[in-house]
Amino acid sequence: MAQLREGLAKSRKALQQQFASVLFDRFDEDLWERIEEALIYADVGVDSTVSIVEALEEQANAGAIKDSAELLAKLREVTANHFCKADTRIDIAHRPAVILMVGVNGTGKTTTIGKIAWHLKELGKEPILIAGDTFRAAAIEQLVEWGRRVGCEVVRHERGGDPGAVVYDGLAAAEARGADVAIIDTAGRLHTQVNLMKELEKVRRVIEKRIPGAPHESLLCIDATTGQNGLIQARMFKEAVELTGVVITKMDGTAKGGIALAVSHELDLPIKLIGTGERLESLQPFDAVGFAAMLFDESLGRR
Ligand SMILES: Nc1nc2c(ncn2[C@@H]2O[C@H](COP(=O)(O)OP(=O)(O)O)[C@@H](O)[C@H]2O)c(=O)[nH]1
Ligand SMILES: [Mg+2]
């Protein structure tokens, strides 16, 4: 939690500057516009912003908001309520539990896999990593290096190999070793959406055939620093893959954290994990109430 706090410190500071002008003694159009601007600035996205401000206006009209402290309290409450209500936990109640990691290149898939594997080890579980990103030798090496640091097996083929084949072998190894969790890395630098869909569909078919009911989690990695571009990526991947949740990475590197809300609300997907740095332990579970509270910190009301 301390790390998420740290990671969100920048978001909060930027928002504080925006909300500093929001202190008010009466409700008028200008106030709502300034709140809207602040939310848009924080990357919350247009649809979610409009919906949040509408909900706040309703509360104000009903007499539930009398001063700026109450406004901020309601803002936190309404914001938390805008996150998708689906389960934010990662399902590892299978053996092996299969986690498929997808997302655009550079969003943090491989790093997040390393972090998840480390956390699993800490919990006494045995993970196995599968190098399904066969485009670049460096991508395979990167996963192998994480495996070395974490102390778990990595199943790999040569660069340029068929992702379906390495996934098949990886799952076979996971079953043979009695691994608790198999985490599959995938490529994200496919040139067209059609190619992307084809490749991910193929990988999925291989997984389903090998282990009925898998993948148990299909997680989309979104880089918080890319702002609204993350929403476009999420739409594209949701069309291509049946996603079970989202990982928002690089929350430590942005002055805006609202993309988590935009993606969760507009695409009805739970945020499951937050990446807050490059270290193994820099991965946090997601909690909507805590997230909203930190985004709109209490101190805002006391300025
Ligand atoms: N600051 C920060 N950097 C991250 C985080 N997650 C990943 N990165 C960095 O982002 C870059 C791309 O990550 P990588 O895992 O290779 O992305 P991939 O192409 O999706 O597999 C690397 O330099 C990572 O160290 C995070 O939560 N915070
Ligand atoms: Mg990678």
Side-chain angles (χ1 to χ4, degrees):
M1 217 54 184
Q3 252 180 47
L4 178 57
R5 244 173 227 291
E6 218 171 90
L8 279 174
K10 284 187 194 167
S11 311
R12 223 160 52 220
K13 202 151 185 245
L15 272 177
Q16 278 173 4
Q17 281 157 9
Q18 287 289 308
F19 278 93
S21 60
V22 158
L23 292 178
F24 66 101
D25 36 37
R26 66 195 165 87
F27 294 101
D28 54 20
E29 267 315 301
D30 199 40
L31 170 73
W32 301 123
E33 263 172 36
R34 275 180 293 156
I35 293 176
E36 253 173 33
E37 270 170 27
L39 289 167
I40 295 279
Y41 173 81
D43 265 339
V44 165
V46 177
D47 287 9
S48 308
T49 294
V50 168
S51 174
I52 288 171
V53 172
E54 266 174 20
L56 278 178
E57 277 196 75
E58 255 173 49
Q59 302 257 5
N61 291 338
I65 302 173
K66 286 179 287 297
D67 56 30
S68 56
E70 278 179 9
L71 174 69
L72 286 162
K74 283 288 174 203
L75 179 60
R76 291 200 296 268
E77 185 188 310
V78 166
T79 299
N81 275 330
H82 270 71
F83 280 97
C84 166
K85 300 287 189 297
D87 200 342
T88 59
R89 288 170 304 179
I90 306 265
D91 178 8
I92 52 166
H94 310 265
R95 195 169 177 164
V98 179
I99 302 175
L100 179 67
M101 194 64 74
V102 302
V104 168
N105 217 47
T107 51
K109 292 182 295 299
T110 309
T111 306
T112 302
I113 289 171
K115 292 176 182 175
I116 294 175
W118 183 81
H119 277 86
L120 286 169
K121 276 285 218 187
E122 290 283 295
L123 292 170
K125 304 269 182 201
E126 201 48 57
I128 195 165
L129 311 183
I130 304 172
D133 179 355
T134 58
F135 270 93
R136 291 172 308 147
I140 300 170
E141 289 315 317
Q142 194 189 354
L143 197 69
V144 168
E145 176 57 21
W146 280 114
R148 195 192 58 75
R149 286 174 68 183
V150 169
C152 71
E153 186 176 347
V154 178
V155 176
R156 53 173 293 182
H157 282 186
E158 289 310 304
R159 182 195 158 270
D162 172 16
V166 69
V167 166
Y168 187 91
D169 284 355
L171 293 177
E175 285 186 319
R177 314 268 195 283
D180 295 298
V181 185
I183 316 177
I184 304 169
D185 200 7
T186 61
R189 59 167 58 211
L190 298 157
H191 293 300
T192 68
Q193 193 174 348
V194 176
N195 279 345
L196 173 77
M197 277 201 235
K198 268 196 199 143
E199 171 143 346
L200 290 176
E201 265 166 26
K202 192 177 166 199
V203 166
R204 254 195 99 93
R205 269 202 309 277
V206 169
I207 298 170
E208 278 165 10
K209 215 167 158 188
R210 179 78 221 187
I211 299 177
H216 307 100
E217 293 282 357
S218 297
L219 302 178
L220 171 66
C221 252
I222 301 267
D223 174 345
T225 65
T226 58
Q228 291 301 296
N229 197 19
L231 201 53
I232 296 166
Q233 290 171 17
R235 280 205 191 94
M236 189 178 97
F237 275 91
K238 200 187 172 187
E239 263 177 46
V241 204
E242 227 176 276
L243 298 171
T244 59
V246 177
V247 181
I248 307 281
T249 61
K250 310 187 197 179
M251 208 55 126
D252 54 307
T254 177
K256 309 157 177 200
I259 189 64
L261 180 67
V263 168
S264 183
H265 178 67
E266 293 185 28
L267 294 167
D268 198 30
L269 287 169
I271 307 296
K272 296 213 167 185
L273 295 167
I274 300 278
T276 55
E278 299 191 70
R279 287 173 302 168
L280 279 171
E281 60 270 35
S282 306
L283 190 68
Q284 312 287 318
F286 180 77
D287 160 57
V289 173
F291 189 90
M294 279 181 267
L295 207 51
F296 312 111
D297 191 83
E298 266 180 325
S299 64
L300 292 176
R302 289 192 240 109
R303 287 170 72 97

